[in-house]
């Protein structure tokens, strides 16, 4: 690619993408509302509020691909969710429609299906069951991506990201964890395949206790290599297993489905 846009480049996963996706394009255009520091030799820095339609059109101009990590990443007041994850995503797709229809990687979330039980094994055809307003906004984003693919041919990979951290932090994440290496390999495959479509992809490593089945996207050639199981002894030593009454035992979305909000 000539130019790859990364939104939310100052955030947790956006910064990982910024560090590790430079080989995919001659120029990385990195965007955020907050400080991005100094531009690397192959970078363009662009500050943008996704709720600003004109600014988003300028942001997308000249881009061959988009890795959309921007927006609100946790539960919040509706006004915050709406501006970032509803209006902002609409603005991004409208800009993409007008500016060359680049291929998009969109950060969806496991919280789009968070009210399913951990006893269920889900695939791309399983019904959405959002566990929060944040989860609702991700269902909206997936639906919008589907519309813009069917109507305008804009290809999008909707990645329902599980828990993407250097290592899992609790027992639930032994099922939902995705390593940074597997995440980057997934994005590489998304931009490598000649035809993408608009798939739902579960962003999860090759965990022994994973709840999600990615057979629908085998054509991508993505084979996650890491496994959360190697962290189980460390987690067992650090904390007690959740009881049957805990949200982590009752819902795939964990605490997002309860009154308290914790890490994804």
């Amino acid at each position: 690619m000539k130019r790859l846009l990364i939104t939310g480049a100052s955030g947790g996963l956006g910064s990982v993408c910024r560090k590790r996706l430079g080989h995919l394009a001659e120029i990385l255009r990195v965007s955020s509302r907050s400080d991005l520091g100094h531009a690397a030799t192959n970078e363009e820095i662009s500050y943008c509020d996704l709720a600003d339609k004109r600014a988003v059109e300028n942001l997308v101009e000249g881009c061959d691909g988009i890795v959309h990590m921007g927006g609100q990443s946790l539960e919040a007041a509706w006004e915050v969710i709406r501006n970032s994850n509803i209006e902002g995503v609409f603005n991004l797709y409208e800009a993409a429609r007008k500016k060359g229809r680049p291929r998009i990687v969109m950060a969806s979330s496991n919280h789009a299906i968070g009210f399913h039980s951990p006893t269920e094994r889900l695939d791309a055809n399983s019904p959405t069951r959002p566990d929060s307003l944040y989860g609702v906004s991700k269902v909206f984003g997936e639906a919008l991506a589907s519309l813009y693919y069917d109507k305008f041919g804009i290809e999008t990979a909707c990645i329902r990201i599980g828990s993407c951290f250097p290592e899992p932090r609790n027992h639930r994440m032994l099922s939902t964890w995705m390593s940074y290496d597997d995440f980057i390999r997934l994005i590489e495959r998304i931009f490598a395949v000649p035809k993408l479509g608009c798939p739902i992809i579960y962003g999860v490593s090759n965990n022994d206790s994973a709840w999600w089945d990615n057979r629908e996207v085998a054509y991508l050639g993505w084979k996650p290599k890491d496994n959360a199981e190697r962290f189980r002894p460390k987690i067992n030593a650090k904390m007690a297993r959740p009881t049957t009454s805990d949200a982590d035992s009752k819902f795939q979305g964990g605490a997002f489905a309860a009154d308290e909000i914790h890490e994804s």
Side-chain angles (χ1 to χ4, degrees), residues 163-169 177-180 230-231:
S163 306
C164 196
F165 299 107
E167 61 183 65
R169 299 175 178 179
W177 180 66
M178 178 169 60
S179 70
Y180 289 164
R230 65 190 175 94
F231 296 101

Side-chain angles (χ1 to χ4, degrees), residues 228-240:
E229 199 63 24
R230 65 190 175 94
F231 296 101
R232 187 178 294 275
K234 181 178 179 180
I235 290 173
N236 284 342
K238 186 168 63 173
M239 64 188 67

Side-chain angles (χ1 to χ4, degrees), residues 7 20 25 195 237:
T7 68
R20 300 186 57 177
K195 181 172 177 57

Side-chain angles (χ1 to χ4, degrees), residues 81-150:
I81 297 288
R82 180 190 63 206
N83 289 344
S84 295
N85 295 4
I86 304 293
E87 296 288 349
V89 172
F90 173 74
N91 290 342
L92 185 79
Y93 273 88
E94 270 296 279
R97 180 181 67 83
K98 296 175 181 178
K99 304 294 183 179
R101 305 182 184 183
R103 184 173 290 188
I104 299 174
V105 174
M106 186 177 73
S108 187
S109 171
N110 71 93
H111 298 295
I113 44 85
F115 261 116
H116 283 282
S117 166
T119 61
E120 299 177 72
R121 187 161 179 83
L122 307 183
D123 62 22
N125 299 309
S126 299
T128 57
R129 293 188 66 184
D131 56 22
S132 51
L133 293 176
Y134 168 71
V136 168
S137 75
K138 293 304 182 179
V139 173
F140 170 84
E142 293 177 3
L144 195 71
S146 178
L147 170 67
Y148 274 70
Y149 173 64
D150 288 336

